[in-house]
Amino acid sequence: MTTLNTRTWNGLTIPTAGTYAIDAAHTRVGFVIRHMVVSKVRGSFKDVAGEIVVAEDPLASSVTAVIQAASIDTGVADRDNHLRTGDFLEIEKYPELSFRSTGLRAVSGEEFTLVGELTIKDVTKTVELALEFGGVAKNPWGQEVLGFTATTEIDREEFNVTWNQPLETGGVLLGKTLKIEIEGEATRQA
């Protein structure tokens, strides 16, 4: 039987202190935006890297992540290419999006609030993510892995992503609110 490096905290089984690397192959950084007022478009970023440091005091734990803007993928090449231009992410000037946590609060059970600084196009804003801790397991190769889900909503215009088009029938082509949905795994490094 494999032993995990875990402990009990507030009735929850969590990892002992250590550093975890975000596993890009098992992490999805997705987004959803309203399109033409009546539907939603989904996409994701394929290239993400980062680190989770689990502290002795679990609420002192931290997260950093960097996303390569060019890795945006909505399943439509022309749209993705437009999203890479100055109308949206302007990847030549701002090749990365980043997140650095500044605080963690317990909510209930495996639910937490992760507070941090999100930077898009050199604009940094404080955001709060609803974080769900998924647990700890060993993968088939003997590596300890933790899982998590995080969601938040941002106003894209606050990050200077303001391109839009009015619709003949009223409203605009794209909503201001961008929902961010993250499903991830991280592998213990130390």
Side-chain angles (χ1 to χ4, degrees):
M1 181 158 179
T2 303
T3 304
L4 293 170
N5 296 306
T6 59
R7 57 192 161 148
T8 301
W9 177 80
N10 287 355
L12 186 64
T13 301
I14 64 169
T16 58
T19 302
Y20 288 76
I22 292 175
D23 179 353
H26 295 100
T27 298
R28 181 181 186 276
V29 177
F31 58 88
V32 182
I33 190 165
R34 184 141 315 264
H35 184 253
M36 293 188 55
V37 184
V38 298
S39 66
K40 296 176 182 175
V41 169
R42 295 180 182 276
S44 64
F45 291 91
K46 302 294 185 185
D47 189 346
V48 59
E51 180 177 87
I52 298 170
V53 177
V54 177
E56 284 297 331
D57 170 2
L59 297 180
S61 298
S62 63
V63 178
T64 56
V66 175
I67 297 165
Q68 298 304 314
S71 73
I72 195 164
D73 181 10
T74 64
V76 178
D78 287 345
R79 178 172 49 215
D80 295 344
N81 289 333
H82 187 203
L83 291 171
R84 292 178 182 112
T85 71
D87 285 344
F88 292 95
L89 294 175
E90 201 171 352
I91 67 166
E92 299 298 327
K93 189 172 182 182
Y94 308 106
E96 297 177 341
L97 295 78
S98 65
F99 176 81
R100 182 184 67 83
S101 68
T102 57
L104 180 65
R105 297 189 306 267
V107 175
S108 174
E110 65 276 340
E111 295 177 8
F112 297 82
T113 299
L114 181 64
V115 181
E117 296 176 341
L118 176 64
T119 302
I120 301 172
K121 291 179 74 170
D122 275 357
V123 176
T124 301
K125 298 281 184 186
T126 298
V127 297
E128 290 191 359
L129 292 97
L131 175 67
E132 180 182 343
F133 173 65
V136 184
K138 288 266 184 176
N139 67 20
W141 302 273
Q143 297 169 306
E144 191 172 288
V145 175
L146 66 80
F148 59 92
T149 301
T151 59
T152 193
E153 289 186 355
I154 62 169
D155 178 341
R156 67 184 178 88
E157 292 182 353
E158 290 181 354
F159 292 91
N160 290 333
V161 182
T162 58
W163 184 90
N164 223 332
Q165 261 187 319
L167 297 174
E168 193 174 303
T169 55
V172 289
L173 186 63
L174 299 174
K176 286 174 48 171
T177 302
L178 188 72
K179 183 174 184 180
I180 299 170
E181 303 171 327
I182 305 165
E183 293 284 341
E185 292 182 7
T187 306
R188 185 182 283 270
Q189 304 297 297

